[in-house]
Every structure is written in C-alpha cells, then in structure tokens.
C-alpha cells in the first residue's frame, strides 16, 4: 500500500495509468481534462513512455490504434466534443480488436457547450457513439480514489477482451482534489504474441484491420464480437448498492450524481425517510439485474442525471413496469442541488 | 553481339496489360490471341521470336510480377 | 541461362489484387524489393491505407496495419513510437494522404516521425469508382467533375504534396518520381531505397511521391495511361528531389 496523497481526479487517472504500465499516451488540449496530458508530458517520458500532443483528437485516437497494434498499453483522454471526434477511431479499435483506454472528462453540450460538468455523453458512451454494432466497458468513477482504481482495472479489462474501455467522468471528478492511495496494479500478464505487429522473427505475418469485402465474413465477425460482448456483460458489471434493503425510494445515479444522491440518502435517513441508492459503476454493462431485483419490492425509482435523461431509459428497461420511475436532471453543465432533490423525494413519498 | 535471353511468364498472374510490350525494345513479346486466355479471362504474355536479350525491362514494368528473366 | 530477374516472394503467390496496368503493382514490388534488399522482412510494419491499396494486405506477406481513411500517418506514429527500431512504411493514395488525411500527414511530417511515406499519386479515387482527387489535374474529368476539374468553379487546384511538405522542419527527404517507364521505375526504386535508408539511419520523415496510372478510372488503355502520366502529369508535377538530407533543393520548376 502506498501513502495517502492529495490529487486532482485528472492527475490521479494519469498517475494510475502510468502505474498500470501504460507507455503510450496521445492527447489534445481540451478543458476540463488538460491536467491529464500535462501530467503525461511531465512524467511519462521520464518513466520510459511516449507522450505526444497530437494535431487533433482524431490523430490521437489513431496513434493509440497504432501503439495498441504493437501490444503497448495505450491511452488517450479528452472531453465531450473531443470524444465525439474519437468515435471513428473507437469503432475501428473494436473492429480490429485492439485494447485501449479512453477517458472522457465530460463537459456541457451539445456543440461546444461549456466546460461545466455533464453526464450528457451517456448515450454516446453506451449506445455506440461510433458506427457499427459494438460495446465497450464504460466505468463511471464517483471519487478520485475510484477513478485511479478503475483506470488500473481498465487496462486489464481492455487487454483481456482486446477491446477499448471508456472511463466516463465529468468536470467535477477531473478537477476536484481528494485524498487517495494508489493500489498496486494487478500485475496480470496478457499474451499478445498471436496478434501483435513487429519483431516478426520468422513467424507468420500478422494483419490488423477491420475490413473484409468477402460475403458473410463481416457478419460472422460480428457474431464473434457478440460472444465477446456477452462475456463482458456477464463478467464485468459493477454496481454498488447503498441502503437499498428497506428503501421505499431507490435513487439510481452514477458518478457525480451518485455523490449528490448519496448525500441526500444520508440526510433523508436522518429524517426517517427510508431511501437508498443503486450506483452503476459500469454503465455498460448496465446493472439491470440489480435494479430488476429491487423493483420487485421497491415501488419508486428516482433517477438523477446531469442530462435531460439518458440512463433513465436503461433503468426503465430494467424495471420493466414493476415500479414508478421519477427523474431529476440538469442539462448543459447544471449540477443537481440536494435541496431540490430532497423536495422532489418528499413529493414522491406524499403522492 | 547482344546477349541471348529469355523470359518465363507466370500465365495465371498476367493480366494482359501490355506494358511489358511497350517496354521491350527487341519486339520479342506479344499477347496471346484474344481467344487464348488464362483462367481469369486475360490474354497473356508470350515470346514471339528469339530476339530477347534478357534486358529485364519487361519485368521492371510488369505490375503483376508475372515475368522472370534469364540471360546467358 | 542465369536467372537475372525473379519474383519477390514477399508478395504471396497470386495475381496482384489490382486492375490491369495499375501502377500499384509496380510500386508494391519496388517497396518489397527495398525491404528485401535491406533484410527488413521480419522488421517491417506496412501501413495499408483506405483506397485501392488497402488490398495490399491480401498480397504482401508482411505485418500489416490498416487504419481508418487518412489516419495512417497517426497510426504509424503510434507504432513507430512504441517500436522505434521497426521499419514503418506508410503507403497512401492521394485521397487518403492529400484530402481526408491532410492534417495527419502534415503533422507526422512536421514532427519528423522516423517513417517512410510512399505516396501514390494517380490523380483519382480508384476504389470508390473514379471521383475527383485533390491531385486531379485541371481539366481532367472524374465522376464528380464530369466537365473537367475547374478551379474557377470552386473545385480547387491540384495539390503538389512534395512542394507543400518540403518546408516542414521534420522532413529529411522529399522526392517525386514516376513509374510510367522503365527508367523512371528504376529512379523510383532508388528513391524508395533512400527513404528506407533514412529511416534506418533515424533521419526522420521521408516522402516519395510516385506518379502512377489508373487506366480503368481514367478510361484509357494502360499504354495510353502511362503516356498521360508522361505528357500531362509530369508537366504539373515535376519529378526529382525536393528535399534531401533536410535541405530544400532549389528548383526552377514553378
């Protein structure tokens, strides 16, 4: 166990990535994630890695694509508009079965929006974003500690499935300072020798691509990818339940919204209101079973998001009509306020 | 006296583009008649006389690596 | 008799995947000849672009990476930074390099990425069926400039890539060659060899722009297409070195 440190979320993610063995980072400036490339520029070359400030987010994700081809652990980060630019590359990473870690420290949109925290990139993160049938594990850390832990885990999961992994945070997570202790990386080794490029030494040539014009090949390829996605869905779902056992109302919220809801739950409990929180830690795969299980008993689910309501669709699918779903959302960089949520909670209980 | 040469054509690799013929200064090569083709339906390169000097110009121009060249 | 010219077995034993008379076949062979002569078969990573020459991965027995359209220089950057001792060959067409991937090629060149770019300029989009390319000549027709490319009509001017890139500090070598005739094929071979030697000596970014015919999409016989290169293309795209050992070659072409 390391020592306790005080760090910004962005810096914690960067440091965790380096500790996880990431050697190739490619980025482009955009607020509110600028501390990540700055940290990488300062520390990564000294620790044996490569940092490039790319000419664009598109170039950065494609540098990741290239580095990943060699078996190196590669990463890029950006914020919402930049992540939109990376969607082409993410689709190609999935299509070519390349591991990579992508960090989205999301900001208000649509368009250039603002630099305030937002959860309006949920659809983009979990429903595709890029073209084609694909999924990737999407982690939504709530704290700086969890951001560091999940960053380390993300590299293992990416390597295990040969698939990109997204860390979805927001401006608050990226900018706030919290104490954390860096855990030891897992040390898991992944044998990439059957597919990586370079240092061929007499073996058969390797090809990394995502194209086939022969009939049926891409369809078959998609069926194989589906098997992988199903495996990921079965094994990689992460969720936290907080005081849900006896709850009359269960909040469903992730990331910064979950922090706020946790505080509301604590206040409400002091007032004798039985409420709890289901916090998806992965939003893909989505913890539908946990929600469905609770929906057998709890009649009210209260979704809180920093958007006009995106995750609510997945909650609705999980609940399948077995409970009433309520919503509180703030779009465009607005942050839900605890008194507003508390007021709405009491209205739900009185209805 | 010019050296003697010859070519061997990989008939199945030849697409009958004829760039080798343009490059050949000895007028030693031509395409097969239109009704004599390889399995892809292309007429292919043939030697038509003994003029070949093995200069390799035909092979240098061949986009399909269809020609091997020999020289005395 | 002695065999004086034989097939390079880095290419699989199959017909090339290109149309009859297409310049890609010749250029592929020149590239693999240089790879072989430098004994880099096991150390090469060949970057196949989007465009006709994406098919190179079906033909070449090399480690091949195939990135998104135009992103080849960025992906090659990632590869080369991760494996600095590998030989990374970019193979790009005019649409890939000079249109959709303009930003990527300029910045890879400007960073002086230690890679070798083979830029095949055939003045047209081949794989998608003959659309106007950034290098289509003024007056030349294509499916998307059916009346001939007309800069006065908002279709822009043909981009001279070597002239554009030569000013960038990271570029050590820029040359334009052609494969329309045997002597020019041999000059192209030499230029490719220089580009590869530069990379092995870690000199930075080299680009060899190669004028090449697309008989099918130009609607010409292979012979006529090569004459078009000789008579029309070279007039606008002069051949020769534009930069060598990091020094701009003063020319009186333009």
């Amino acid at each position: 166990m390391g020592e306790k440190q005080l760090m910004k979320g962005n810096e914690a993610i960067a440091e965790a990535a380096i500790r996880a063995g990431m050697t190739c980072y490619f980025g482009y400036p955009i607020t509110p994630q600028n501390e990540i490339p700055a940290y990488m520029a300062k520390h990564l070359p000294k620790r044996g890695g490569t940092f490039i400030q790319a000419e664009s987010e598109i170039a950065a994700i494609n540098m990741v694509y290239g580095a990943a081809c060699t078996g190196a652990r590669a990463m890029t980060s950006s914020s919402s508009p930049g992540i939109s630019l990376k969607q082409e590359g993410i689709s190609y990473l999935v299509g070519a079965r390349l591991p990579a870690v992508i960090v989205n420290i999301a900001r208000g949109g649509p368009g250039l929006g603002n630099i305030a925290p937002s959860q309006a990139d949920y659809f983009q993160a979990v429903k595709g974003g890029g073209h084609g049938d694909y999924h990737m594990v999407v982690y939504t850390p709530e704290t700086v500690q969890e951001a560091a832990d999940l960053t380390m885990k993300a590299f293992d999961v990416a390597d295990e499935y040969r698939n990109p992994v997204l860390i979805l945070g927001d401006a608050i997570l990226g900018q706030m300072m919290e104490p954390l202790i860096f855990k030891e990386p897992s040390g898991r080794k992944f044998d990439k020798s059957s597919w990586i490029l370079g240092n061929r030494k007499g073996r058969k040539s390797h090809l990394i691509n995502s194209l086939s014009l022969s009939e049926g090949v891409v369809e078959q390829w998609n069926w194989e990818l589906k098997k992988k996605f199903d495996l990921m869905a079965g094994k990689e779902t992460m969720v936290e339940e907080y005081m849900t056992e006896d709850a009359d109302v269960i909040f469903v919220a992730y990331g910064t919204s979950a922090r706020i809801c946790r505080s509301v739950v604590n206040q409400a409990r002091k007032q004798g209101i039985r409420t709890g929180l289901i916090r998806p830690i992965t939003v893909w795969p989505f913890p539908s079973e946990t929600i469905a299980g609770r929906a057998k008993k709890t009649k009210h689910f209260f979704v809180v998001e920093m958007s006009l309501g995106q995750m609510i669709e997945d909650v609705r699918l999980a609940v399948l009509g077995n409970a009433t779903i309520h919503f509180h959302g703030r779009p465009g960089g607005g942050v839900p306020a605890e008194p507003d949520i508390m007021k709405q909670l009491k209205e739900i209980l009185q209805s | 006296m010019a050296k003697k040469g010859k070519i061997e054509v990989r008939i199945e690799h030849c697409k009958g583009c004829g760039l080798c013929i343009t490059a050949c200064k000895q007028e030693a090569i031509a395409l097969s008649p239109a009704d004599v083709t390889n399995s892809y339906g292309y007429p292919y390169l043939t030697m038509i006389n003994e003029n070949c000097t093995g200069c390799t110009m035909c092979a240098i121009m061949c986009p399909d690596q269809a020609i091997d060249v020999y020289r005395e | 008799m002695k065999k004086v010219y034989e097939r390079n077995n880095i290419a699989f034993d199959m017909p090339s995947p290109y149309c009859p008379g297409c310049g890609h076949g010749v250029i592929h062979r020149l590239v693999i000849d240089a790879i072989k002569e430098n004994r880099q078969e096991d150390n090469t990573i060949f970057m196949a672009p989007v465009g006709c020459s994406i098919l190179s991965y079906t033909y070449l027995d090399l480690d091949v990476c195939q990135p998104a359209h135009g992103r080849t220089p960025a992906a090659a950057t990632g590869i080369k930074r991760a494996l600095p001792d590998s030989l990374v060959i970019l193979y790009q067409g005019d649409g890939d390099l000079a249109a959709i991937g303009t930003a990527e090629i300029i910045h890879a060149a400007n960073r002086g990425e230690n890679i070798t770019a083979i830029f095949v300029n055939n003045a047209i989009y081949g794989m998608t069926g003959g659309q106007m390319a950034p290098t289509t000549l003024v007056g030349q027709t294509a499916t998307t400039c059916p009346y001939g490319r007309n800069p006065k009509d908002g279709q822009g001017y043909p981009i001279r890539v070597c002239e554009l890139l030569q000013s960038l500090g990271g570029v050590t070598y820029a040359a334009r060659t052609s494969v329309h005739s045997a002597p020019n094929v041999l000059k192209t071979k030499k230029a490719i060899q220089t580009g590869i030697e530069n990379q092995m000596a870690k000199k930075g970014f080299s680009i060899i722009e190669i004028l090449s015919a697309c008989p099918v999409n130009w609607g010409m016989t292979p012979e006529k297409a090569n004459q078009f290169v000789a008579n029309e293309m070279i007039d606008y795209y002069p051949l020769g070195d534009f930069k060598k050992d990091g020094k701009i070659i003063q020319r009186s072409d333009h």
Side-chain angles (χ1 to χ4, degrees), chain A residues 18 20 26 28 39 42 56 73 94 134 153 157 173 187 204 233-234 240 248 253 301 305 317:
Chain A
I18 298 174
F26 311 102
Y28 186 84
Y39 194 93
K42 194 170 177 183
S56 70
R73 282 190 160 179
V94 177
Y134 77 86
K153 186 177 171 63
V157 170
L173 180 78
K204 277 192 167 175
E240 180 199 354
D248 296 321
F301 281 74
E305 293 182 74
L317 283 171

Side-chain angles (χ1 to χ4, degrees), chain B residues 13-55:
Chain B
H13 291 198
C14 178
K15 299 189 184 121
C17 73
L19 292 179
C20 50
I21 299 168
T22 314
C24 179
K25 294 196 168 63
Q26 312 302 325
E27 300 185 354
I29 46 178
L31 291 184
S32 62
D35 58 341
V36 180
T37 65
N38 65 16
S39 68
Y40 298 95
Y42 293 119
Y44 51 83
L45 180 64
T46 53
M47 286 186 81
I48 52 171
N49 54 41
E50 305 275 293
N51 294 355
C52 179
T53 61
C55 74

Side-chain angles (χ1 to χ4, degrees), chain A residues 55, chain C residues 24 47-53 68-74 76 89-109 115-122 124-125 133-135 159-165 168 175-176 205-210 237:
Chain A
E55 59 270 33
Chain C
H24 278 306
M47 308 295 297
V50 171
C52 288
S53 49
H69 198 17
R71 318 299 174 217
T72 304
I89 307 283
L90 263 74
Y91 192 101
Q92 293 192 267
D94 39 52
D96 199 68
L97 182 141
I100 195 168
T102 320
E104 284 79 6
I105 194 70
I106 285 181
H107 288 276
I115 52 184
T116 309
I118 309 296
F119 167 42
V120 179
N121 178 358
N122 61 9
I124 205 145
Y125 283 75
T135 51
I159 294 178
R160 294 184 177 106
V161 167
C162 280
E163 289 86 331
L164 192 69
L165 294 185
L168 302 174
R176 184 181 292 119
F205 186 88
S206 298
I207 180 161
I208 300 98
E209 174 176 349
I210 305 169
Y237 298 113

Side-chain angles (χ1 to χ4, degrees), chain B residues 4-6 8 10 12-19 22-23 40 42 54 56-57 59-65 67-72, chain C residues 1-8 11 13-22 25-26 29 32 59 179-182 185-186 222-223 226:
Chain B
K4 278 263 168 240
K6 68 164 188 174
E8 271 176 13
R10 233 166 256 101
E12 287 299 300
H13 291 198
C14 178
K15 299 189 184 121
C17 73
L19 292 179
T22 314
Y40 298 95
Y42 293 119
T56 73
M57 290 301 151
I60 285 166
M61 283 308 288
C62 177
D64 294 286
Q65 291 213 76
I67 308 169
D68 286 347
V69 184
Y70 296 81
R71 194 160 52 208
E72 269 181 350
Chain C
M1 282 193 221
K2 207 173 74 184
K3 208 178 217 179
V4 288
Y5 197 103
E6 69 177 341
R7 199 173 181 283
N8 185 324
D13 188 13
M14 60 184 272
S16 86
Y18 305 108
C19 306
C22 171
V26 173
R29 194 194 68 228
I32 60 178
Y59 187 52
V179 290
H180 71 277
S181 70
V185 170
L186 295 173
E223 189 183 354
N226 273 352

Side-chain angles (χ1 to χ4, degrees), chain A residues 15-280:
Chain A
E15 175 60 30
I18 298 174
R19 290 182 185 224
M22 185 276 303
T23 55
C24 294
Y25 172 88
F26 311 102
Y28 186 84
I30 182 170
T31 309
Q33 62 84 55
N34 289 319
E35 291 81 3
I36 299 178
Y39 194 93
M40 295 300 187
K42 194 170 177 183
H43 296 279
L44 189 53
K46 282 194 282 191
R47 288 153 76 175
T50 290
F51 163 83
I52 297 179
Q53 179 173 326
E55 59 270 33
S56 70
E57 285 92 347
I58 299 171
I61 190 81
N62 283 283
M63 289 173 188
V64 166
Y65 183 98
C69 286
T70 71
R73 282 190 160 179
M75 169 179 169
T76 185
S77 63
S78 190
S79 180
S80 310
I83 296 292
S84 294
L85 284 171
K86 291 185 193 295
Q87 294 304 319
E88 174 198 55
I90 293 171
S91 170
Y92 275 70
L93 285 164
V94 177
R97 283 211 296 172
L98 289 171
V101 173
I102 300 132
V103 180
N104 181 3
I105 303 299
R107 58 188 254 176
L112 203 47
N114 56 24
I115 59 170
S118 170
Q119 295 183 323
D121 296 354
Y122 180 92
F123 283 152
Q124 184 194 57
V126 307
K127 309 285 182 189
H131 59 283
D133 267 332
Y134 77 86
H135 290 290
M136 56 183 167
V137 173
V138 180
Y139 292 117
T140 57
E142 182 193 13
T143 63
V144 171
Q145 177 72 57
E146 195 176 48
D149 297 349
L150 290 175
T151 300
M152 287 186 179
K153 186 177 171 63
F155 283 97
D156 282 349
V157 170
D159 278 345
E160 181 166 353
Y161 297 97
R162 287 178 63 185
N163 204 65
V165 173
L166 183 77
I167 294 166
L168 181 60
D170 62 54
I172 290 179
L173 180 78
Q175 296 299 319
M176 72 182 171
M177 291 184 93
E178 277 188 323
L180 84 158
I181 295 169
F182 285 104
K183 300 200 169 103
E184 283 300 314
S186 73
R188 286 177 67 189
K189 294 275 178 266
F190 297 87
D191 182 8
K192 302 180 180 181
S193 61
S194 65
W195 58 270
I196 55 172
L197 305 182
N199 297 321
R200 190 173 155 192
K201 294 194 190 87
R203 64 161 164 76
K204 277 192 167 175
S205 52
H206 289 162
L207 166 67
I208 291 184
N209 88 334
S210 56
L211 174 93
S212 176
L213 298 177
S214 308
E215 201 186 328
V217 173
V218 173
E219 181 179 358
Q220 187 52 41
W221 179 231
N222 270 266
W223 287 116
E224 281 170 39
L225 286 177
K226 186 185 183 302
K227 279 186 213 157
K228 182 171 87 171
F229 300 144
D230 288 347
L231 197 64
M232 284 153 67
K235 278 180 67 183
E236 300 304 331
T237 309
M238 288 175 73
V239 59
E240 180 199 354
E241 289 194 71
Y242 182 65
M243 299 195 183
T244 49
E245 198 58 46
D246 63 341
D248 296 321
V249 179
I250 293 178
F251 286 99
V252 185
Y254 67 93
T256 295
S257 293
R259 284 178 85 103
I260 296 164
C261 290
R262 190 187 300 276
S263 174
V264 173
V265 168
N266 291 341
Q267 288 173 50
R269 285 274 169 182
K270 278 183 200 154
Q271 296 172 30
I273 300 168
R274 289 181 305 187
T275 180
L277 166 68
I278 292 177
R279 179 174 73 95

